[in-house]
Amino acid sequence: MTLPPPLIADTDDDAVALLRRYYGNTHLDTGCYTGAFFDSWAPRTREADINRFTADDLVAITFLSVNVNARAARELLVTRVDRFTELLESVGPDRTAIS
C-alpha cells in the first residue's frame, strides 16, 4: 500500500499545506483539485440511496478522472442493481482508509 503524501509529510505544517493544495485554501474553492469534490458530490441523495449506486455516484467518480462507459453504467444502475445493492449492504457503513 502506498500512503498519500499528507500521511508521510515530515511535519504537520507540510501535511496541512498538501491538504490545502488539494482541497483549496477555503474548502472546495476555485483553486482546489477536482478530486476534492468526489466525496461531497450530491450529499442530498446520499442517505436515501446509501446502499445503491446512483447517477450522482457516476458523476462523483468523474471528479477522480474515472470514465464509466454506458454498458457499465447500465449494469450498475439497472441490469444488476439488486446484486450491487446486496454487495454494498454487505460492506456496511462508510469506512475510511485509516480506521
Side-chain angles (χ1 to χ4, degrees):
M1 177 164 92
T2 302
L3 294 174
L7 296 179
I8 57 173
D10 291 332
T11 67
D12 288 348
D13 289 341
D14 292 341
V16 169
L18 288 166
L19 289 167
R20 280 200 176 124
R21 190 170 77 193
Y22 189 80
Y23 288 101
N25 286 319
T26 303
H27 188 250
L28 301 179
D29 68 15
T30 57
C32 72
Y33 282 69
T34 57
F37 286 94
F38 167 73
D39 200 37
S40 62
W41 181 253
R44 290 171 288 153
T45 62
R46 183 173 288 164
E47 286 300 316
D49 296 313
I50 198 160
N51 289 316
R52 183 183 186 114
F53 287 112
T54 67
D56 285 329
D57 294 319
L58 300 183
V59 171
I61 63 171
T62 67
F63 290 116
L64 299 172
S65 300
V66 173
N67 295 315
V68 177
N69 66 40
R71 181 176 179 202
R74 185 182 67 213
E75 293 285 319
L76 287 167
L77 302 177
V78 180
T79 310
R80 298 181 62 200
V81 66
D82 292 336
R83 177 64 179 142
F84 287 113
T85 296
E86 178 183 305
L87 291 169
L88 288 171
E89 287 171 346
S90 72
V91 171
D94 279 348
R95 310 241 191 277
T96 66
I98 299 172
S99 63

